Amino acid sequence: MNIEFNRNEDEMKQAISKMRNHLEKIQLGGGKKAIEKQHEKNKLTARERIDYLVDKDSTFLELGAFAGFEMYEEYGGCPAGGTVAGLGYISGRQCVIVANDQTVKAGAWFPITGKKNLRMQEISMENNLPIIYLVDSAGVFLPLQDEIFPDKEHFGRVFRNNAKMSAMGITQIAAVMGACVAGGAYLPIMSDETLMVEGNGSIYLAGPYLVKAAIGEDIDNESLGGAVTHTEISGIADYKFKTEQECLDQVKKIISKLGNNAPGLLNRATPVPPKKDPAELNGILPAGNLKPYDMLEIIERIIDDSAFEQFKADYGKTMLCGYARIDGWAVGIVANQRLITKTKKGEMQLGGVIYNDSADKAARFIMNCNQKKIPLIFLQDVTGFMVGSRSEHAGIIKDGAKLVNAVANSVVPKITIIIGNSYGAGNYAMCGKAYDPRFIYAWPSAKIAVMGGDQAAKTLMQIQVAGLKAKGQVIDPVEEKRLLDEIKDRYEKQTSPFYAAARLWVDGLIKPADTRRVISEGLTAANSSTQMPEFKTGVFQV
């Protein structure tokens, strides 16, 4: 390996180490003392519940672990958005699992909690996967109630989804292991089956204190809405158990008896490992995302047998399109090529930029994959569409719109991996979050923004200086540099992968070596989908 590779590898390893350190803190939830209090009540933590529930020979793929990262600090933070969630195998069946983390503000719902829970339900609906709710929540976080309670994508949407999912035939199981109060009480009752743990699980619209204040009735927690009350008197719950382990064992039994309605629409062959070593992925991406590199080297370390069948290999060279298999699954890959290339006319094309020909090529390939019912994998390292008079006169907006149209109307499952830059309309054209990928992940090297930090800082600086000059004020070079650095630092913080993951612009941050595995898990989930609609692109200029 050369010096450049070693330098790149060192930077990626540092980024992975930083990601791992953050994750270790996130996984403590509300902290060690809060975990101890949970254990004192004979309660498991959210992560311990999931660990007990999933099959021992399987891996739980956590989603949204960075949700809420460095947000709500004035309230003590909200690690993982107060909810641990992801894909796990229960009795051999892939399921979505959502567990309230009671150690984080008693499992209260922050705005990001609502967004994360709705995302998990969306994954369940899109992929026709059973969903398990492990309930232990105090309800809406009152100081932020206006940001979580009334709007279309807020708390109440969860119960609307419960009803829609039930009509779709998606299995929903709720295990109530702690508080389930106010509006949150509807979730277990709108699930297919409700399980409760005696002594800790409770369901009611108003707790004892509120009941006393509202109607003057004195009543204890258990009598009001405990497991005995709801299994023997109200009939709201279906099962009661002495321990959480017994409760979770029953969830396993229920899932083990589900009928298999997965149609298996996607093509899968016997998996073959890549010929090129996936461990080398750490050293290919240039440090700082600044230099050209061959995206094909990354693709060949993700796909089976490192065998990539390129589509229009000699046309639109800033975009790589082609067919391959990933862990046996047939896929179409659309990836930004970062090498500087030459056209037949001898013109140089910058890597990572979408030109007219590369947009045209990618749109055509996406339509082909939809025709053949082949899922699409997008590998993003894009700085945007080419600008300037030559591109404008050639119709770059038209060709870009054609690509966006194809991505937006695509009906096959789409999975997006943001490897490096994800700037401007390039994010949209390469299936960013707004374009409904089934799953979207980012490497620790990812940067998501309207434009790069340097360009944005200089643009904002020019506007600020022009404003001062218009007022007759002069800014000296030292002050100008200070302002430029301040703007750049602020902007670059917002482009970091942690900032993106905190706001659920991506489902998770992954190590490069895990790319193949998470894509395969996503395709396994997508293969449970019950149908694939007819592909229509509507009207666009040719």
Side-chain angles (χ1 to χ4, degrees):
M1 297 298 175
N2 58 34
I3 294 173
E4 188 74 18
F5 181 95
N6 292 337
R7 185 182 297 116
N8 296 341
E9 186 177 43
D10 286 345
E11 177 153 315
M12 181 62 79
K13 285 182 175 178
Q14 287 176 16
I16 292 170
S17 177
K18 183 178 180 181
M19 180 181 76
R20 189 182 296 116
N21 290 338
H22 286 322
L23 272 174
E24 287 175 359
K25 292 179 182 177
I26 288 167
Q27 288 167 355
L28 286 174
K32 292 181 180 179
K33 287 186 178 179
I35 292 172
E36 289 171 5
K37 286 183 179 179
Q38 188 86 336
H39 290 162
E40 287 169 6
K41 298 175 185 175
N42 293 320
K43 296 171 69 175
L44 301 174
T45 65
R47 295 181 184 280
E48 289 167 344
R49 288 166 180 164
I50 291 173
D51 186 58
Y52 184 88
L53 182 61
V54 298
D55 297 344
K56 298 308 173 191
D57 58 347
S58 68
T59 302
F60 175 67
L61 178 58
E62 185 172 356
L63 302 174
F66 279 91
F69 179 72
E70 294 185 341
M71 296 170 66
Y72 314 114
E73 291 183 343
E74 66 273 35
Y75 299 107
C78 186
T83 302
V84 183
L87 296 176
Y89 289 86
I90 303 171
S91 300
R93 186 72 168 259
Q94 191 182 40
C95 300
V96 176
I97 304 171
V98 183
N100 301 122
D101 189 348
Q102 209 275 342
T103 70
V104 179
K105 293 289 187 293
W109 286 54
F110 284 69
I112 197 66
T113 315
K115 187 173 184 179
K116 181 172 178 178
N117 279 262
L118 290 172
R119 174 62 179 145
M120 295 306 120
Q121 288 185 318
E122 180 182 48
I123 289 170
S124 173
M125 287 187 278
E126 284 183 332
N127 300 290
N128 193 37
L129 295 176
I131 184 166
I132 315 300
Y133 307 103
L134 305 182
V135 185
D136 194 349
S137 172
V140 166
F141 185 63
L142 292 178
L144 296 173
Q145 64 86 26
D146 61 318
E147 297 179 41
I148 180 62
F149 169 63
D151 211 342
K152 181 178 178 180
E153 299 300 329
H154 285 177
F155 187 64
R157 188 78 170 184
V158 170
F159 317 126
R160 175 264 188 195
N161 285 352
N162 287 144
K164 290 288 187 180
M165 293 163 75
S166 184
M168 293 168 67
I170 294 172
T171 297
Q172 301 177 81
I173 306 297
V176 181
M177 301 176 156
C180 184
V181 302
Y186 289 103
L187 183 144
I189 313 312
M190 296 185 76
S191 298
D192 298 351
E193 296 185 71
T194 303
L195 299 71
M196 296 186 71
V197 177
E198 292 184 56
N200 284 324
S202 57
I203 304 173
Y204 37 61
L205 293 179
Y209 293 118
L210 185 53
V211 168
K212 174 68 174 176
I215 63 173
E217 181 184 3
D218 285 307
I219 191 166
D220 63 83
N221 199 60
E222 279 297 300
S223 301
L224 181 63
V228 172
T229 295
H230 286 314
T231 55
E232 297 182 15
I233 301 174
S234 73
I236 281 175
D238 305 304
Y239 310 88
K240 66 176 185 289
F241 303 93
K242 296 288 186 186
T243 68
E244 292 193 6
Q245 289 85 349
E246 291 174 358
C247 181
L248 295 170
D249 286 338
Q250 181 63 29
V251 174
K252 296 178 188 181
K253 291 175 185 176
I254 293 170
I255 298 299
S256 73
K257 295 177 177 66
L258 293 184
N260 186 8
N261 60 354
L265 295 172
L266 307 182
N267 181 292
R268 192 179 196 187
T270 303
V272 178
K275 278 184 180 176
K276 295 189 175 181
D277 188 0
E280 294 172 354
L281 286 169
N282 285 349
I284 296 171
L285 192 72
N289 304 355
L290 298 174
K291 295 181 180 179
Y293 66 94
D294 191 352
M295 177 64 84
L296 190 59
E297 292 294 329
I298 287 177
I299 293 172
E300 289 176 342
R301 285 163 176 79
I302 294 171
I303 62 176
D304 288 19
D305 203 35
S306 300
F308 187 54
E309 303 164 26
Q310 280 208 54
F311 174 82
K312 291 184 182 289
D314 298 318
Y315 177 74
K317 291 184 178 180
T318 65
M319 195 79 82
L320 290 172
C321 299
Y323 303 102
R325 289 188 182 273
I326 294 179
D327 199 29
W329 297 106
V331 297
I333 296 175
V334 181
N336 303 111
Q337 175 58 291
R338 286 298 303 268
L339 288 177
I340 296 174
T341 57
K342 262 187 184 180
T343 66
K344 285 188 176 180
K345 296 178 181 178
E347 298 165 344
M348 302 304 292
Q349 289 191 330
L350 298 173
V353 178
I354 302 176
Y355 289 80
N356 297 73
D357 54 358
S358 49
D360 177 71
K361 166 181 167 177
R364 174 79 177 188
F365 180 71
I366 289 166
M367 289 189 282
N368 268 337
C369 286
N370 275 272
Q371 187 81 355
K372 298 178 176 69
K373 303 293 186 284
I374 298 173
L376 286 159
I377 310 300
F378 291 84
L379 302 178
Q380 284 198 21
D381 192 350
V382 58
T383 52
F385 286 86
M386 189 58 190
V387 297
S389 60
R390 179 175 294 181
S391 291
E392 296 292 359
H393 296 170
I396 188 65
I397 298 174
K398 174 192 68 178
D399 290 322
K402 188 192 304 181
L403 175 54
V404 169
N405 190 306
V407 173
N409 286 301
S410 183
V411 297
V412 297
K414 306 183 294 266
I415 296 175
T416 300
I417 310 292
I418 302 174
I419 288 171
N421 300 321
S422 179
Y423 293 156
N427 171 280
Y428 303 156
M430 292 297 292
C431 198
K433 184 67 181 290
Y435 287 78
D436 295 326
R438 294 290 180 97
F439 299 93
I440 178 168
Y441 297 95
W443 286 10
S445 47
K447 294 181 180 179
I448 305 171
V450 173
M451 63 179 76
D454 282 331
Q455 299 96 313
K458 287 173 183 175
T459 301
L460 291 168
M461 188 65 200
Q462 287 170 6
I463 294 168
Q464 197 163 333
V465 170
L468 290 170
K469 285 181 178 177
K471 296 176 183 177
Q473 299 177 22
V474 180
I475 183 169
D476 67 79
V478 175
E479 178 64 10
E480 186 172 334
K481 184 180 183 306
R482 187 193 68 77
L483 283 172
L484 184 66
D485 290 342
E486 183 182 295
I487 293 168
K488 185 178 176 182
D489 288 346
R490 184 172 68 247
Y491 192 87
E492 288 195 339
K493 181 181 179 182
Q494 294 178 0
T495 69
S496 83
F498 301 111
Y499 192 93
R503 288 152 184 81
L504 292 174
W505 300 347
V506 296
D507 292 319
L509 302 182
I510 60 170
K511 296 181 293 185
D514 287 339
T515 304
R516 177 177 162 90
R517 178 176 68 87
V518 300
I519 290 174
S520 179
E521 283 296 317
L523 293 173
T524 300
N527 201 40
S528 295
S529 302
T530 53
Q531 61 181 347
M532 208 176 286
E534 181 184 356
F535 177 58
K536 297 179 181 179
T537 56
V539 178
F540 61 86
Q541 293 185 352
V542 295

